[in-house]
Amino acid sequence: MKSLGEKPEVEEEVLDTASKKVKVAEKKVEKRKTETPKTNTEDDHVEEEQHGEKVLVMPGDIIGTTEEFEAGDNTYIVRGDILSLATGFVMVNKKRRTISVKPTTSMPPTIKKGDILIGTVVNVRDSMALVQIEGIKGVVDRQFIKPGVAAIHVSNVKESYVKEMSKEFAVADVVKAKVINIENMRMTTSGKELGVMVATCANCGSTLKKDDQVLKCAQCGRTESRKISSDYGTGII
Ligand code: ZN
């Protein structure tokens, strides 16, 4: 098999299939000899080939059509398209004309304590702000398991005492926060670079500009208070 690696692609494919057929035949002989029951999965594995480049697909990705293939393991059909049900690599069984997804053993990253998250404030209460998580710093957004909503408790907003949460956060603010507890998804914005990244004017809806320690609206002149990140307005995560 190794020596075939340098041959042109088309030729390799033909030879590859032929050698695989031999292997299947050998397997069948072996099966008769030993009378050990073997599962179909094992034969399928021999027939299956990686489909094209080794591309990682995610649940919902279109991997083929029902005109080309039959939907195999870890796939489903929507209006003639075959989609992946799993995170993994696309496999094609040329003999049966099935396309399937071989799940990867390593799952997309889940959120860990200490991760820096980006999210949108969805609720501000006296004791906490609730944040819809949109991304993890340093992780491609589609490749992580979204935890939903996380909370920033009034005691974790900043180093100094917070009297009113409404002076630290507002609904629709984009915030950068650090995970401090995974079990109940608690975050902190204590720290220079953590806090509100983007906020809009409660009066006219314009994006607020950072003006020293407060946020100002260039349109209507309104001033608002927030726990501002040192990266406010820069887009830097
Ligand atoms: Zn305004």
Coordinates of all heavy atoms in Angstrom, one line a residue, residues 117-122 124 131 134 168-177 189 193-202 205-210 214-216 224-237:
L117 N -15.2 34.9 27.7 CA -16.3 34.7 26.8 C -16.8 36.1 26.3 O -16.7 37.1 27.0 CB -17.5 34.0 27.5 CG -17.1 32.7 28.1 CD1 -18.4 32.1 28.8 CD2 -16.6 31.7 27.1
I118 N -17.5 36.0 25.1 CA -18.1 37.2 24.6 C -19.6 36.9 24.5 O -20.0 35.8 24.1 CB -17.6 37.5 23.2 CG1 -16.1 38.0 23.2 CG2 -18.5 38.6 22.5 CD1 -15.9 39.4 23.9
G119 N -20.4 37.8 25.0 CA -21.9 37.6 25.0 C -22.7 38.9 25.0 O -22.1 40.0 25.0
T120 N -24.0 38.7 24.9 CA -24.9 39.9 24.8 C -25.7 39.9 26.1 O -26.3 38.8 26.4 CB -25.8 39.8 23.6 OG1 -25.0 39.6 22.4 CG2 -26.6 41.0 23.4
V121 N -25.8 41.0 26.8 CA -26.6 41.1 28.0 C -28.1 41.0 27.6 O -28.6 41.7 26.7 CB -26.4 42.4 28.7 CG1 -27.3 42.6 29.9 CG2 -24.9 42.5 29.2
V122 N -28.8 40.0 28.2 CA -30.2 39.8 27.9 C -31.2 40.3 29.0 O -32.4 40.4 28.8 CB -30.5 38.4 27.5 CG1 -29.9 38.1 26.1 CG2 -30.0 37.4 28.5
V124 N -31.0 42.5 33.1 CA -30.3 43.1 34.2 C -31.2 43.2 35.4 O -32.3 43.8 35.3 CB -29.8 44.6 33.8 CG1 -29.0 45.2 35.0 CG2 -28.9 44.5 32.6
V131 N -26.2 37.0 30.6 CA -25.5 37.2 29.3 C -25.7 35.9 28.4 O -25.4 34.8 28.8 CB -24.0 37.4 29.6 CG1 -23.2 37.6 28.3 CG2 -23.8 38.6 30.5
E134 N -21.9 34.1 23.1 CA -21.8 34.1 21.7 C -20.5 33.5 21.2 O -20.3 33.0 20.1 CB -22.0 35.5 21.1 CG -23.2 36.2 21.5 CD -24.5 35.7 21.0 OE1 -24.5 34.7 20.2 OE2 -25.6 36.2 21.4
E168 N -24.0 49.5 35.6 CA -22.9 48.7 35.1 C -23.2 48.1 33.7 O -22.3 47.9 32.9 CB -22.5 47.7 36.1 CG -22.5 48.1 37.6 CD -21.4 49.2 37.8 OE1 -20.4 49.2 37.0 OE2 -21.5 50.0 38.7
F169 N -24.4 47.6 33.5 CA -24.8 46.9 32.3 C -26.2 47.4 31.9 O -27.0 47.8 32.7 CB -24.9 45.4 32.6 CG -23.6 44.8 33.0 CD1 -23.4 44.4 34.3 CD2 -22.5 44.7 32.1 CE1 -22.2 43.9 34.7 CE2 -21.3 44.1 32.5 CZ -21.1 43.7 33.9
A170 N -26.5 47.2 30.6 CA -27.8 47.4 30.0 C -28.1 46.3 29.0 O -27.1 45.7 28.4 CB -27.9 48.8 29.3
V171 N -29.4 46.0 28.8 CA -29.7 45.0 27.8 C -29.2 45.4 26.4 O -29.2 46.5 26.1 CB -31.3 44.8 27.8 CG1 -31.7 44.0 26.6 CG2 -31.8 44.2 29.1
A172 N -28.6 44.4 25.7 CA -28.0 44.5 24.4 C -26.6 44.9 24.4 O -25.9 45.0 23.4 CB -28.8 45.4 23.5
D173 N -26.0 45.2 25.6 CA -24.6 45.5 25.7 C -23.8 44.2 25.3 O -24.2 43.1 25.6 CB -24.1 45.8 27.1 CG -24.5 47.2 27.6 OD1 -25.0 47.9 26.8 OD2 -24.3 47.5 28.8
V174 N -22.7 44.4 24.6 CA -21.8 43.3 24.3 C -20.7 43.3 25.4 O -20.1 44.3 25.6 CB -21.2 43.4 22.9 CG1 -20.1 42.3 22.6 CG2 -22.2 43.4 21.8
V175 N -20.6 42.2 26.1 CA -19.6 42.1 27.2 C -18.6 41.1 27.0 O -18.8 40.0 26.3 CB -20.3 41.9 28.5 CG1 -21.2 43.1 28.9 CG2 -21.0 40.6 28.6
K176 N -17.4 41.3 27.6 CA -16.3 40.3 27.6 C -16.2 40.0 29.1 O -16.0 40.9 30.0 CB -15.1 40.9 27.1 CG -13.8 40.0 27.2 CD -12.7 40.4 26.2 CE -12.1 41.8 26.5 NZ -10.9 42.0 25.7
A177 N -16.3 38.7 29.4 CA -16.3 38.3 30.8 C -15.5 36.9 31.0 O -15.4 36.2 30.0 CB -17.7 38.1 31.4
T189 N -16.5 40.3 35.6 CA -16.0 41.3 34.7 C -15.0 42.2 35.4 O -14.6 43.3 35.0 CB -17.1 42.2 34.1 OG1 -17.9 42.7 35.2 CG2 -17.9 41.5 33.1
E193 N -9.5 44.7 31.3 CA -9.9 44.4 30.0 C -11.3 43.8 29.9 O -11.8 43.6 28.8 CB -8.8 43.5 29.3 CG -8.9 42.0 29.7 CD -8.3 41.7 31.1 OE1 -7.9 42.6 31.8 OE2 -8.2 40.5 31.4
L194 N -11.9 43.5 31.0 CA -13.2 42.9 31.0 C -14.3 43.9 31.2 O -14.0 45.0 31.8 CB -13.3 41.8 32.1 CG -12.3 40.6 32.0 CD1 -12.4 39.7 33.2 CD2 -12.4 39.9 30.7
G195 N -15.5 43.6 30.7 CA -16.6 44.5 30.9 C -17.3 44.8 29.6 O -17.2 43.9 28.6
V196 N -18.0 45.9 29.5 CA -18.8 46.2 28.3 C -17.8 46.6 27.1 O -16.9 47.4 27.3 CB -19.8 47.3 28.6 CG1 -20.5 47.7 27.3 CG2 -20.8 46.9 29.7
M197 N -18.1 46.0 26.0 CA -17.3 46.2 24.8 C -18.0 47.2 23.8 O -17.3 47.9 23.1 CB -17.0 44.9 24.0 CG -16.3 43.9 24.8 SD -14.6 44.3 25.0 CE -14.0 44.0 23.3
V198 N -19.3 47.0 23.7 CA -20.1 47.9 22.8 C -21.5 48.1 23.5 O -22.0 47.2 24.1 CB -20.4 47.2 21.5 CG1 -21.3 48.1 20.6 CG2 -19.1 46.8 20.7
A199 N -21.9 49.4 23.5 CA -23.2 49.7 24.1 C -23.9 50.8 23.2 O -23.2 51.5 22.5 CB -23.0 50.2 25.5
T200 N -25.2 50.7 23.3 CA -26.0 51.7 22.5 C -26.7 52.7 23.5 O -27.1 52.3 24.6 CB -27.0 51.0 21.6 OG1 -27.8 50.1 22.3 CG2 -26.2 50.3 20.5
C201 N -27.0 53.9 23.0 CA -27.7 54.9 23.7 C -29.2 54.5 24.0 O -29.9 54.1 23.1 CB -27.6 56.2 22.9 SG -28.6 57.6 23.6
A202 N -29.6 54.6 25.3 CA -30.9 54.3 25.6 C -31.9 55.3 25.1 O -33.1 55.0 25.0 CB -31.1 54.2 27.1
G205 N -30.4 55.1 20.4 CA -30.0 53.9 19.8 C -28.7 54.0 19.1 O -28.2 53.0 18.5
S206 N -28.0 55.1 19.1 CA -26.7 55.2 18.5 C -25.6 54.5 19.4 O -25.8 54.3 20.6 CB -26.3 56.7 18.4 OG -27.2 57.4 17.7
T207 N -24.5 54.1 18.7 CA -23.5 53.4 19.5 C -22.8 54.5 20.3 O -22.4 55.5 19.8 CB -22.5 52.8 18.5 OG1 -23.2 51.8 17.7 CG2 -21.4 52.0 19.2
L208 N -22.6 54.1 21.6 CA -22.0 55.1 22.5 C -20.4 55.1 22.4 O -19.8 54.1 22.1 CB -22.3 54.7 24.0 CG -23.8 54.8 24.3 CD1 -24.1 54.2 25.7 CD2 -24.3 56.3 24.4
K209 N -19.8 56.3 22.5 CA -18.4 56.4 22.4 C -17.8 56.5 23.8 O -18.4 57.2 24.7 CB -18.0 57.6 21.6 CG -18.5 57.6 20.2 CD -17.4 57.1 19.3 CE -17.7 57.2 17.8 NZ -18.7 56.2 17.4
K210 N -16.6 55.9 24.0 CA -16.0 56.0 25.3 C -15.4 57.4 25.5 O -14.7 57.9 24.6 CB -14.9 54.9 25.4 CG -14.3 54.7 26.8 CD -13.3 53.6 26.7 CE -12.4 53.6 27.9 NZ -11.3 52.6 27.8
V214 N -16.8 57.3 31.3 CA -18.2 57.1 30.9 C -18.4 56.9 29.4 O -17.4 57.0 28.7 CB -19.1 58.3 31.4 CG1 -19.1 58.5 32.9 CG2 -18.6 59.6 30.7
L215 N -19.7 56.7 29.0 CA -20.0 56.5 27.6 C -20.8 57.7 27.2 O -21.8 58.1 27.9 CB -20.7 55.2 27.4 CG -19.9 53.9 27.7 CD1 -20.7 52.7 27.5 CD2 -18.6 53.8 26.9
K216 N -20.5 58.2 26.0 CA -21.3 59.4 25.5 C -21.9 59.1 24.2 O -21.3 58.5 23.3 CB -20.4 60.6 25.5 CG -20.4 61.4 26.7 CD -19.8 62.8 26.5 CE -20.1 63.7 27.8 NZ -19.4 64.9 27.8
E224 N -23.9 57.8 29.6 CA -24.3 56.6 30.3 C -23.2 56.0 31.1 O -22.0 56.2 30.7 CB -24.9 55.6 29.4 CG -26.2 56.1 28.7 CD -27.0 55.0 28.0 OE1 -26.8 53.8 28.3 OE2 -27.8 55.3 27.1
S225 N -23.5 55.3 32.1 CA -22.5 54.7 33.0 C -22.5 53.1 32.7 O -23.5 52.5 32.5 CB -22.8 55.0 34.4 OG -22.1 54.1 35.2
R226 N -21.3 52.6 32.7 CA -21.1 51.1 32.5 C -19.8 50.7 33.2 O -18.9 51.5 33.5 CB -20.9 50.7 31.0 CG -22.1 51.0 30.1 CD -23.2 50.0 30.3 NE -24.1 50.0 29.1 CZ -25.0 51.0 28.9 NH1 -25.2 52.0 29.7 NH2 -25.8 50.8 27.8
K227 N -19.7 49.3 33.4 CA -18.4 48.7 33.7 C -17.7 48.5 32.3 O -18.0 47.6 31.6 CB -18.6 47.4 34.4 CG -17.4 46.5 34.5 CD -16.2 47.2 35.1 CE -15.0 46.2 35.3 NZ -14.0 46.3 34.2
I228 N -16.9 49.5 32.0 CA -16.3 49.5 30.6 C -15.0 48.7 30.6 O -14.2 48.8 31.4 CB -16.0 51.0 30.2 CG1 -17.3 51.9 30.4 CG2 -15.6 51.0 28.8 CD1 -17.0 53.4 30.3
S229 N -14.9 47.9 29.5 CA -13.6 47.2 29.2 C -12.6 48.2 28.6 O -13.0 49.1 27.9 CB -13.9 46.1 28.2 OG -12.7 45.7 27.6
S230 N -11.4 48.0 28.9 CA -10.3 48.8 28.3 C -10.3 48.7 26.8 O -9.7 49.5 26.1 CB -9.0 48.5 28.9 OG -8.7 47.2 28.7
D231 N -10.9 47.6 26.3 CA -11.0 47.4 24.8 C -12.3 47.9 24.3 O -12.7 47.5 23.1 CB -10.9 45.8 24.5 CG -9.5 45.3 25.0 OD1 -8.5 46.0 24.8 OD2 -9.4 44.2 25.4
Y232 N -13.0 48.7 25.0 CA -14.3 49.2 24.5 C -14.2 49.8 23.1 O -13.3 50.7 22.9 CB -14.9 50.2 25.5 CG -16.3 50.7 25.0 CD1 -17.5 50.1 25.4 CD2 -16.5 51.7 24.1 CE1 -18.7 50.5 25.0 CE2 -17.7 52.1 23.6 CZ -18.8 51.5 24.1 OH -20.1 51.9 23.6
G233 N -15.1 49.4 22.2 CA -15.1 50.0 20.9 C -14.0 49.6 19.9 O -14.0 50.1 18.8
T234 N -13.1 48.8 20.4 CA -11.9 48.5 19.5 C -12.2 47.2 18.7 O -11.6 47.0 17.7 CB -10.7 48.2 20.4 OG1 -11.0 47.1 21.2 CG2 -10.2 49.4 21.2
G235 N -13.2 46.4 19.2 CA -13.4 45.2 18.5 C -12.4 44.1 18.8 O -12.5 42.9 18.4
I236 N -11.5 44.4 19.7 CA -10.5 43.4 20.2 C -11.1 42.5 21.2 O -11.6 43.0 22.2 CB -9.2 44.1 20.7 CG1 -8.5 45.0 19.6 CG2 -8.3 43.1 21.3 CD1 -7.5 45.9 20.2
I237 N -11.0 41.2 21.0 CA -11.5 40.3 21.9 C -10.3 39.7 22.7 O -10.2 39.7 23.9 CB -12.3 39.2 21.3 CG1 -13.6 39.8 20.7 CG2 -12.6 38.0 22.3 CD1 -14.4 38.9 19.8

